[in-house]
Amino acid sequence: MVVCKCTAAAVLCVLVTILATVALAARKHSPLLEDNALPKKPSRVTECQFGKQLKEIGSTWYADLGPPFGVMYCIKCECVQVQKKRRIIGRVQCRNIKNDCPKPNCEEPILLPGKCCKSCPGDEANDFVQDPPDDEEKSMKHFAAILTGQSSRSGDPKKMDFLPTSAQETGLDYVATGRFTFYRKHLYFSFYTNKPDRPKTVQFVDTNGNIIEEITLLPSTIYQNLTGKICGVWRRVSKDYKRLLREERMSVSLVWDTAIIGGHLYRFRALDTETFSSLLTGTKRDSGGTSIVSISTVSPSIHMQIMFNGPFGGQDTGSFLVKLKYAENERIVVEETIRVEKMTNSSIVIELQSPVTFSDLNALSKQDLIITLESKQSSFKLQGTVEPRVFCDIYQTLVVSNSHQVDSKKDRTSGVAWAFINKDGALEYRVKFDNNAVTELAIVSGESRVSALDISESIVQNWSNGTVSTMGPVHLEQLYAEELSLFSASSGFKSRFLWRPVADARDTAGAMLLSSPDERSMVGLLWMTVDPDCTLQYEVVLSGSNVKNRLFELYVEDSPLSIPGAPVFRRLLEEFEGPSFEGYTIGLSQEELLRLNTNIVHVDLWDPKLGQSILKTEWKHVNVPVVCYSHEASENDSNNILMNNDESDHQHTSHLSCLHGQKYYQHGAQWTSSVDECYMCNCHYGRVTCDLIICPIVQCPAPSAKPGTCCPTCEENGFVNQNNSTNSCLLAGQQFQAGSNWHPYLPPNGFDTCTLCHCNNTSLKIKCQRMDCPPLECDQRVAIRPTKRSCCKVCPSTLQTTTKSTGPLVQLAQGDQQVNGESGSDLEILTNGGCSYPVGGPYENGQEWHPKIYSHGEVKCINCKCKDGKVRCDRKKCPKWSSCSDPCCKSVCRRHKRQIFKF
């Protein structure tokens, strides 16, 4: 049990208590009988989870408890790295920084909004500042690596890029090459290997051999099967690890069951224009290489940068013969001897540039050319075929017909398209429209020298899927430069393909089209998946004339297959401002994942200002990884802070919906009771709870309650019907008229009387503030709350006798929560902070008693006390030298005498 002594750091104490509770809850469940029945869920150990957000190591932030509390500017949190064997893991540390505030040099300091420390008027508070966004990835976008059995030639295991286990070997004939790209603070990686079997994990290692990130690889997806690549992403790379990358002091490893290979990450400018790649292998163990091939089609030429390593220990200089030749007849295209002045244990880099013919560039795109590298001093030789570049990437676009070209609204077309280069060098394309009006389709360029690729023959109803095998070097150059577009003269659209890296959501079967028959001027592209960490990943891209700076809400909802009219599960994923957003949702329960996997799922784009759906699509083939149904707790679960999360005991609840007043409500929903407007109800895991609304104190001589409302207000002529959203604030599905005050309703705990919310008359924005309690004249430990819902504690001596509630008790309809077996006086005691107890209860707030046991009667050595609705019983404390005449201390007295005798 964790005991916290909290004063000003009450919120920090709550966080620490919840952290300890989660750690204890992780040990409740017994292991499965069949340990190998389900694969192990990967653990997110190199990140920190705070609420519903993931934080990278080294990041700092203010604790955000969500509405209505908002950001706690006096609670500073940090994700720190902790060494655990050979792994670096993340831990959340939060502390109260209010005591660190400097003392203001004025008599009446003020507290500015968004600050923790008070300051004098005109001065700035010296508060802790959160991490500003950084643009480091712009200066270090692309990296490459060659992975072999042993990239360190020193022979010292402590200086190796990786450390094999007892079941793994190094120095095998495994070779791989990788490319690494920064995009939106994430590091996307891609690999070619010389083995058909896929590795199990990807590990990133620092200079001391510590594993700073480990990603589990799933079986091949459609994209990875068609391209022959291994794709993935390291999300939210911290500043410390970005520095290691920038200084080229990071390594990467691919791990199989019986083998492990690794190599350093190096930055190359040639990767910005890479068109082709190659994986070079040879007969020597622990050797391999890769080439970065760039071309120019304006004046036909080729540029190659080759990185390789091998058994060159003891050599100071060396000469290498590089050839680019045809595989069939060995006709040489480029041949050059390059001398290396300093031979080191690390990878060697050479480069060459040469003019070529157009036919040679066409042969490159058809994979007819190979690269050979030979040493003139030894039998060392590497060779590999020139293939499509290693990057895992796609090119996507949105289709919207121009209104001036298409007069009829019903003939307007919207759609999504994406394309990529497969392992044969051909262009795979997928296009989906919202109708069957498209009859002509082509891929075109803005340059006249680039011929159009007609793909009209592949149109079948509202789909166009196919492969363009005639992709020449000019088309490839235009595609990689984002200069190709999808064009239809008959339907009046021309949309440019834009580059995106492939991983998670974009590594699924395909993109989804967000559209609506009533909203033809707007269209959306949606990628969505559930990753191995059981996190819902998604990306939304919107196109239209009115999407910029517009607020949207993204929902996912499902409908059961068997019962028409049954409740629909609906969950808000994210609120964002257009035109694009990439996000995630963590903490989905197994119940929610099962519903997504078995029911009909829709994704809904909602406009909160209009209060209506804008775009919608059906999410087919929702595949939830099997690991998400495992009962095993991950390694880092006990390190995460889950605020307001009491779902651990309800993950296997079969019914989340509630039936109340002939209407279904989803889990988490709240509403005003249809029987009495003075009751607020909520649905919590299939159970309805209704609470009497607590009205805030109003400062006017004659407050009045309008029809249909419960609480009196001072507004005489400013009343607006609650159904009118033009002059009201919206919070958790409830509307509040402008200028009103209220206590927020936080299910399942009820009303928070310590917080007062206000709807601003002009801005219609909600602001909630915590109430300040007066100082106590007694010890905090003996203070009690006058009622169960009271915000501030008082001393027992000032506690007045509670009066009976003047409001009538409402008989709730079927589906409302009822209190059975309790008289009016007993219910009154419990309402005023009293405690229920099996024998002799209920007891009033602050009352003390000795518990009674049926077999033993009253136990006088144990004292129980009721405090704010909770009972705590403690055994009488006996000092070692207490009188043995006290019957409660006889055992302690005898035990102490025996210890003295033994001594």
Side-chain angles (χ1 to χ4, degrees):
M1 180 179 292
V2 177
V3 179
C4 296
K5 295 182 179 179
C6 308
T7 54
V11 175
L12 181 60
C13 179
V14 171
L15 295 179
V16 174
T17 306
I18 295 175
L19 176 61
T21 305
V22 173
L24 292 174
R27 296 192 294 267
K28 281 183 181 179
H29 307 288
S30 302
L32 295 175
L33 294 178
E34 298 181 12
D35 232 4
N36 298 324
L38 293 174
K40 220 174 183 182
K41 180 179 176 181
S43 57
R44 191 187 284 110
V45 295
T46 52
E47 290 182 306
C48 295
Q49 180 179 331
F50 188 86
K52 299 299 182 182
Q53 296 292 321
L54 297 174
K55 304 289 185 178
E56 65 268 20
I57 290 179
S59 60
T60 52
W61 66 94
Y62 295 119
D64 188 357
L65 302 185
F69 305 103
V71 180
M72 311 298 290
Y73 292 100
C74 287
I75 305 298
K76 172 187 174 182
C77 296
E78 183 178 7
C79 181
V80 299
Q81 62 179 14
V82 178
Q83 182 85 26
K84 189 173 183 180
K85 296 182 180 179
R86 287 189 55 237
R87 282 177 168 79
I88 302 295
I89 65 175
R91 303 274 191 187
V92 174
Q93 290 184 355
C94 296
R95 67 182 185 90
N96 191 346
I97 61 172
K98 192 169 185 178
N99 297 330
D100 300 337
C101 294
K103 188 175 182 180
N105 297 322
C106 56
E107 294 183 357
E108 297 183 357
I110 58 175
L111 182 63
L112 298 175
K115 298 292 184 180
C116 172
C117 303
K118 290 185 177 181
S119 59
C120 298
D123 296 341
E124 292 187 1
N126 297 323
D127 273 11
F128 147 77
V129 181
Q130 298 190 85
D131 293 334
D134 62 270
D135 296 327
E136 290 182 352
E137 55 265 28
K138 293 183 179 179
S139 62
M140 53 171 193
K141 187 157 188 176
H142 299 303
F143 294 81
I146 178 68
L147 291 76
T148 56
Q150 186 176 355
S151 59
S152 177
R153 306 290 165 224
S154 63
D156 186 357
K158 295 183 179 180
K159 296 182 180 180
M160 292 178 62
D161 296 327
F162 53 89
L163 292 177
T165 65
S166 58
Q168 296 166 337
E169 299 182 21
T170 60
L172 299 177
D173 57 346
Y174 285 72
V175 182
T177 181
R179 301 293 185 268
F180 309 86
T181 303
F182 261 103
Y183 179 72
R184 295 181 180 175
K185 295 186 178 181
H186 311 311
L187 183 64
Y188 290 81
F189 56 82
S190 317
F191 293 98
Y192 275 149
T193 68
N194 65 334
K195 296 295 180 181
D197 54 327
R198 286 172 61 85
K200 301 297 183 182
T201 59
V202 176
Q203 295 176 349
F204 290 88
V205 185
D206 63 10
T207 52
N208 297 320
N210 298 316
I211 300 174
I212 55 179
E213 178 69 13
E214 184 174 51
I215 297 103
T216 302
L217 298 175
L218 290 179
S220 295
T221 60
I222 295 177
Y223 175 88
Q224 297 185 46
N225 282 331
L226 291 174
T227 59
K229 302 173 183 177
I230 299 170
C231 311
V233 60
W234 175 4
R235 294 197 173 274
R236 293 164 289 276
V237 182
S238 68
K239 286 186 176 181
D240 293 340
Y241 300 150
K242 286 180 184 178
R243 185 177 64 253
L244 292 180
L245 274 169
R246 188 171 57 251
E247 298 172 356
E248 298 182 343
R249 295 193 297 119
M250 184 181 292
S251 302
V252 64
S253 301
L254 290 178
V255 182
W256 286 264
D257 288 334
T258 58
I260 179 171
I261 57 176
H264 272 81
L265 275 70
Y266 296 100
R267 184 168 43 191
F268 294 97
R269 290 186 177 275
L271 292 171
D272 295 337
T273 57
E274 183 179 19
T275 313
F276 302 96
S277 306
S278 68
L279 175 62
L280 307 178
T281 59
T283 57
K284 297 287 186 181
R285 294 161 64 91
D286 306 332
S287 63
T290 184
S291 64
I292 304 168
V293 182
S294 305
I295 63 172
S296 174
T297 57
V298 178
S299 57
S301 62
I302 187 171
H303 178 272
M304 292 192 300
Q305 200 164 16
I306 303 175
M307 178 176 60
F308 63 96
N309 55 28
F312 305 125
Q315 299 183 28
D316 294 331
T317 59
S319 296
F320 296 92
L321 178 64
V322 181
K323 295 180 182 180
L324 177 64
K325 60 183 181 180
Y326 283 81
E328 185 176 352
N329 55 19
E330 295 194 354
R331 182 169 67 86
I332 297 176
V333 179
V334 177
E335 182 177 5
E336 188 171 336
T337 300
I338 300 177
R339 182 177 177 83
V340 179
E341 297 296 335
K342 291 184 178 181
M343 305 280 285
T344 61
N345 291 330
S346 59
S347 298
I348 301 171
V349 180
I350 60 176
E351 62 180 307
L352 57 90
Q353 187 171 357
S354 174
V356 294
T357 65
F358 273 110
S359 61
D360 294 333
L361 293 181
N362 283 323
L364 275 176
S365 61
K366 296 177 181 178
Q367 302 183 40
D368 292 338
L369 301 184
I370 61 174
I371 297 175
T372 61
L373 184 144
E374 303 177 47
S375 173
K376 290 194 171 183
Q377 289 79 28
S378 63
S379 59
F380 175 78
K381 181 179 180 179
L382 297 176
Q383 179 175 304
T385 304
V386 179
E387 304 174 282
R389 66 182 189 178
V390 186
F391 286 120
C392 292
D393 50 12
I394 61 169
Y395 294 82
Q396 65 184 34
T397 186
L398 279 163
V399 173
V400 182
S401 296
N402 296 324
S403 57
H404 68 275
Q405 292 182 342
V406 182
D407 297 330
S408 176
K409 185 176 180 180
K410 66 178 182 179
D411 292 334
R412 293 179 186 175
T413 299
S414 60
V416 293
W418 65 99
F420 57 90
I421 302 299
N422 63 20
K423 57 186 174 184
D424 298 324
L427 179 70
E428 299 273 352
Y429 62 89
R430 308 284 185 268
V431 188
K432 178 177 175 57
F433 301 107
D434 62 347
N435 57 40
N436 303 332
V438 179
T439 58
E440 297 178 4
L441 197 62
I443 298 176
V444 301
S445 172
E447 294 188 15
S448 58
R449 70 185 182 98
V450 182
S451 60
L453 301 173
D454 189 2
I455 58 175
S456 301
E457 294 182 356
S458 63
I459 300 176
V460 179
Q461 293 184 350
N462 60 339
W463 276 95
S464 177
N465 299 337
T467 303
V468 178
S469 58
T470 57
M471 284 289 290
V474 179
H475 289 112
L476 282 176
E477 193 177 41
Q478 294 283 300
L479 177 68
Y480 294 154
E482 298 182 335
E483 295 175 0
L484 292 185
S485 301
L486 190 68
F487 173 72
S488 176
S490 61
S491 298
F493 63 80
K494 183 178 181 181
S495 305
R496 187 162 58 97
F497 284 101
L498 300 178
W499 172 88
R500 289 292 187 275
V502 172
D504 289 345
R506 288 186 291 269
D507 196 12
T508 55
M512 290 171 278
L513 171 63
L514 285 165
S515 62
S516 173
D518 302 326
E519 185 64 52
R520 291 301 184 94
S521 62
M522 186 188 302
V523 65
L525 179 148
L526 174 67
W527 295 97
M528 185 170 284
T529 190
V530 179
D531 67 12
D533 289 326
C534 309
T535 299
L536 185 62
Q537 303 277 358
Y538 42 85
E539 181 191 22
V540 183
V541 181
L542 303 175
S543 177
S545 57
N546 57 343
V547 299
K548 191 175 181 181
N549 299 326
R550 185 175 175 182
L551 193 64
F552 298 99
E553 291 178 348
L554 187 67
Y555 287 88
V556 61
E557 63 182 26
D558 75 317
S559 304
L561 295 172
S562 56
I563 309 175
V568 176
F569 166 75
R570 182 175 173 89
R571 174 163 183 159
L572 174 64
L573 298 181
E574 197 73 48
E575 184 181 69
F576 66 96
E577 200 171 275
S580 64
F581 180 78
E582 184 175 356
Y584 60 90
T585 299
I586 62 176
L588 293 173
S589 66
Q590 292 191 15
E591 170 70 21
E592 292 171 320
L593 292 172
L594 184 63
R595 292 174 68 98
L596 292 179
N597 204 29
T598 57
N599 294 338
I600 300 175
V601 182
H602 289 86
V603 182
D604 192 4
L605 188 71
W606 188 270
D607 189 322
K609 187 175 182 180
L610 299 178
Q612 65 183 26
S613 174
I614 303 298
L615 304 174
K616 200 168 186 177
T617 186
E618 183 179 346
W619 182 16
K620 297 181 179 179
H621 312 297
V622 184
N623 296 321
V624 178
V626 182
V627 294
C628 297
Y629 300 125
S630 173
H631 297 274
E632 296 179 5
S634 65
E635 182 182 0
N636 198 37
D637 282 349
S638 61
N639 302 331
N640 299 334
I641 293 182
L642 305 175
M643 294 170 297
N644 299 329
N645 184 7
D646 54 355
E647 301 179 3
S648 59
D649 295 332
H650 302 275
Q651 290 185 357
H652 306 288
T653 306
S654 58
H655 301 287
L656 298 179
S657 304
C658 300
L659 177 61
H660 174 77
Q662 304 301 319
K663 186 177 179 180
Y664 277 108
Y665 296 91
Q666 297 301 318
H667 165 68
Q670 61 185 67
W671 64 95
T672 303
S673 174
S674 57
V675 179
D676 192 315
E677 64 271 8
C678 287
Y679 274 82
M680 282 293 296
C681 303
N682 72 86
C683 176
H684 188 66
Y685 289 100
R687 182 181 180 185
V688 176
T689 303
C690 294
D691 297 281
L692 182 65
I693 293 178
I694 301 177
C695 298
I697 299 175
V698 291
Q699 304 294 334
C700 60
S704 61
K706 303 299 180 180
T709 62
C710 179
C711 295
T713 62
C714 296
E715 299 283 344
E716 295 183 359
N717 301 320
F719 175 75
V720 180
N721 191 292
Q722 286 188 349
N723 293 327
N724 186 3
S725 60
T726 59
N727 194 28
S728 60
C729 299
L730 183 67
L731 177 65
Q734 300 294 316
Q735 288 188 351
F736 300 90
Q737 64 186 83
S740 62
N741 299 313
W742 69 94
H743 294 299
Y745 185 59
L746 305 177
N749 299 321
F751 286 92
D752 180 14
T753 57
C754 297
T755 302
L756 190 65
C757 296
H758 175 72
C759 176
N760 189 278
N761 280 305
T762 55
S763 64
L764 296 181
K765 291 186 177 180
I766 297 174
K767 183 177 181 181
C768 299
Q769 289 184 334
R770 299 285 291 178
M771 297 173 59
D772 294 329
C773 294
L776 295 172
E777 298 180 356
C778 59
D779 193 340
Q780 176 79 12
R781 291 173 294 181
V782 300
I784 60 176
R785 301 184 190 277
T787 65
K788 190 176 182 179
R789 292 177 174 176
S790 297
C791 176
C792 299
K793 291 183 178 182
V794 298
C795 297
S797 58
T798 61
L799 184 64
Q800 298 179 357
T801 305
T802 57
T803 59
K804 293 186 178 182
S805 175
T806 57
L809 295 176
V810 180
Q811 299 296 327
L812 302 180
Q814 181 182 3
D816 289 353
Q817 183 185 12
Q818 299 183 13
V819 181
N820 299 323
E822 294 179 350
S823 64
S825 58
D826 291 347
L827 180 60
E828 192 175 319
I829 292 174
L830 297 176
T831 304
N832 294 329
C835 304
S836 60
Y837 200 72
V839 181
Y843 293 95
E844 293 185 355
N845 192 9
Q847 186 175 348
E848 298 184 9
W849 71 95
H850 298 301
K852 293 181 180 180
I853 302 178
Y854 290 109
S855 58
H856 295 79
E858 188 178 43
V859 184
K860 294 186 177 181
C861 296
I862 296 178
N863 189 52
C864 296
K865 182 178 181 180
C866 173
K867 184 178 180 181
D868 304 329
K870 295 183 179 180
V871 176
R872 178 168 180 173
C873 297
D874 297 302
R875 182 176 292 276
K876 183 177 181 179
K877 295 182 180 180
C878 299
K880 294 180 180 180
W881 299 103
S882 65
S883 173
C884 293
S885 60
D886 190 339
C888 295
C889 300
K890 286 183 178 180
S891 59
V892 177
C893 181
R894 287 194 299 266
R895 191 182 309 116
H896 184 63
K897 285 182 177 180
R898 286 197 299 267
Q899 292 175 353
I900 296 177
F901 178 76
K902 290 180 180 179
F903 178 77

